[in-house]
Amino acid sequence: MSAAGLPASSPRLAHHDPVAFSRWELPEARTAAAAELAQSAGLPPAITELLLNRGVASAAEAEEFLHPRMEHLLDPYSMRGMAEAVARVQAALDRREPILIYGDYDVDGTTAIVLLKTALEILGGDVRFHVPHRIREGYGMQPEVLAAAAQEGVRLVISVDSGIRAHAAAEAAARLGLDLIITDHHLPEPLAEPAHLDGDLSHGQPPSSRLPRALAVLNPNQPGCGYRCKFLCGAGIAFKLSQALLEASDPERARNRILPSFLKMLAIATVADSVPLSGENRALLSLGLQQLRNPVNPGLRRLMQLAELDPALRPVTATDIAFRIAPRINAAGRMDVASDVVDLFTTRDPARAAQLAEKLDRLNGERRQAEAAILQQIEQRLEDEIGFAQAGCVVIDGDGWHRGIIGILASRVVDRMRRPVVVIARENGEAHGSGRSIPGFHLLDAIESCGELFTRFGGHAQAVGFSLPSENVPELRLRLEAWAARHGSFEAPGLACHGPLPFDQITPAFFALLRRLEPFGIGNEEPVFVAYDVRIAAPVRVMKDRHLRLRLAQGPRACFSALAWDWAERFQRLGLREGSVFDVAYRLKQNEHPEFGGLELEIADIAIAGSSPHQRML
């Protein structure tokens, strides 16, 4: 079947099926521009078309994109407030004033503390830190913690990954005689209602904002800040302050030794916080992954061992961070005390580091068990209660659910339902919720439409958090459903594809160039290619009753091995077997197995003849 012959729409698999997509979305081909860039950059057009879709338009930009270097990092002083912040910190260092770093309990917040604390101690600083407890304190700076610090002689407080809306805490700091430097990446509080976007509002900038009272604010999203990379994570901004301080003290040592080593922690935070991997973020992550090939820090080294990552055998990837390293770090804040993360990465005692790493590994196991148990309850209710199948916005609540994992659960249900989801944990008359959305459904707008129901709430278009009295949960469900009915002209996400790549164009040389586009992630997604009229060329092999290994052929000679994760039941339902023909959306992978390794395909979706998903030009 040709691309031009695809029908406009067709029935697909079950709505909650997490793999089948209602449509494939292909960008408009830019053949002439790709050919011009290919000639100037010395790259094949298939690669330059990918670069063009990522905003890379010249040979110089292609060189910087494909070969990030330390010299590509932006000048920290181009961030508004940096000069004032550096001057105040240097004064504190000169006067030996104790400095308090006030962080957050997630990966971004704890690694931000590690980076800034390490930099300040290298410079001779007297540093202490505070990580709030997720359950007892919640997010953000608390005036009572600042008061205790002032009593201990602290005169300078630096927030990391928080503080941009902490007006009450900032006023409390001023009354206590504390100088406050806020380093944060979240969106400041608007004075006027911003024009809402479909994406994460923390990566945009409102027309005007109200900033907390502080000596300096470091946030690329504040009005008047000319810093080009608007979507650094919180640890990224702490890194930029550390960069400015260290380079002011000893530029050569900072640039050649200290700052490159800092990029390990920053790479972990960048992946964990799901910020776009373009601009400076791409350079920071790429360089950080290179540094992770040599984990010197005893805590990091032991944590990687527990995650079964050995950089001597293969390089650590962004996927490894997302699924093996970050969850273990996050488990501390979700299940226990997040300050353990700071201790893990700052202790020099290998025995203590091993003890802490093993604790985080154990907590992650407990988190997974708790998540699986609650997810089983949720899935049973989704099957049994018909109202969920008809809901425009799914609101599901339960007694005694662990508050530290409800955000993960909301994401899991979104994957299944393809609709916005709010998961609520009820306990002792209070309800705490976390929501995740899909493109086109502005979840914060929906929450704000019934703001009087909440004790507190916050978030952005795609994710929210809140608390409210348990008795208000039924009303919340009704109000969100009514809002979805009025504003629910949204589509479930389609599968974004790069474009056609016939099997006969797949070569080891092409794959080597494709790998240079890594690391993949938000803003630099792994390419999904499309091949038409693909035939199953050998008996289908089922693995572990769920997965499939296939032999796919296109044309007379081009043939590749393919993996289809969790597709066993779907293939059986569709009646697919040796000889079946369909269109396939796939990712290109390298199998490292010594016996049957080589290039192979990972199936993202299939469309059988007569039911191909509609393809739309982006």
Side-chain angles (χ1 to χ4, degrees), residues 54 103 135 148 160 220 280 323 373 388 433 467 495 537 584:
R54 286 155 173 75
I135 306 300
V160 293
E280 188 177 31
F323 292 100
F388 289 121
S467 61
L495 178 63
V584 62

Side-chain angles (χ1 to χ4, degrees), residues 184-199:
D184 199 356
H185 68 124
H186 299 100
L187 189 70
E189 182 178 346
L191 287 175
E193 189 70 16
H196 289 313
L197 308 174
D198 286 342

Side-chain angles (χ1 to χ4, degrees), residues 167-341:
H167 298 282
E171 293 299 328
R175 291 193 299 270
L176 291 164
L178 297 171
D179 287 333
L180 176 62
I181 297 172
I182 293 173
T183 78
D184 199 356
H185 68 124
H186 299 100
L187 189 70
E189 182 178 346
L191 287 175
E193 189 70 16
H196 289 313
L197 308 174
D198 286 342
D200 181 344
L201 284 182
S202 68
H203 300 148
Q205 181 172 315
S208 57
S209 303
R210 184 166 73 96
L211 300 178
R213 182 179 179 182
L215 182 146
V217 174
L218 304 182
N219 186 331
N221 290 304
Q222 66 177 304
C225 183
Y227 198 78
R228 294 207 313 272
C229 187
K230 298 294 184 182
F231 34 81
L232 291 171
C233 63
I237 298 175
F239 172 84
K240 300 308 292 190
L241 176 56
S242 301
Q243 179 186 355
L245 290 165
L246 291 165
E247 288 182 345
S249 173
D250 188 339
E252 184 176 353
R253 181 170 179 249
R255 293 168 189 165
N256 295 331
R257 294 182 55 192
I258 303 174
L259 292 174
S261 70
F262 276 26
L263 294 178
K264 299 183 185 75
M265 285 291 105
L266 185 49
I268 293 170
T270 298
V271 172
D273 216 54
S274 300
V275 293
L277 299 183
S278 57
E280 188 177 31
N281 269 349
R282 172 176 167 76
L284 292 169
L285 176 56
S286 181
L287 295 168
L289 290 173
Q290 293 176 30
Q291 291 293 319
L292 280 169
R293 296 174 182 177
N294 182 30
V296 177
N297 181 283
L300 178 59
R301 190 166 58 244
R302 180 57 182 148
L303 195 69
M304 290 173 64
Q305 290 172 351
L306 293 166
E308 298 181 348
L309 294 174
D310 186 350
L313 298 178
R314 69 169 180 85
V316 176
T317 66
T319 301
D320 293 329
I321 292 175
F323 292 100
R324 298 195 189 190
I325 298 176
R328 287 171 166 81
I329 299 174
N330 247 336
R334 294 188 185 281
M335 308 299 290
D336 195 38
V337 181
S339 59
D340 283 342
V341 176

Side-chain angles (χ1 to χ4, degrees), residues 9-13 610-613:
S9 62
S10 63
R12 299 293 289 160
L13 304 183
S611 64
S612 296

Side-chain angles (χ1 to χ4, degrees), residues 331-355:
R334 294 188 185 281
M335 308 299 290
D336 195 38
V337 181
S339 59
D340 283 342
V341 176
V342 182
D343 293 337
L344 170 69
F345 293 130
T346 55
T347 183
R348 297 182 179 181
D349 180 357
R352 174 65 175 158
Q355 180 185 39

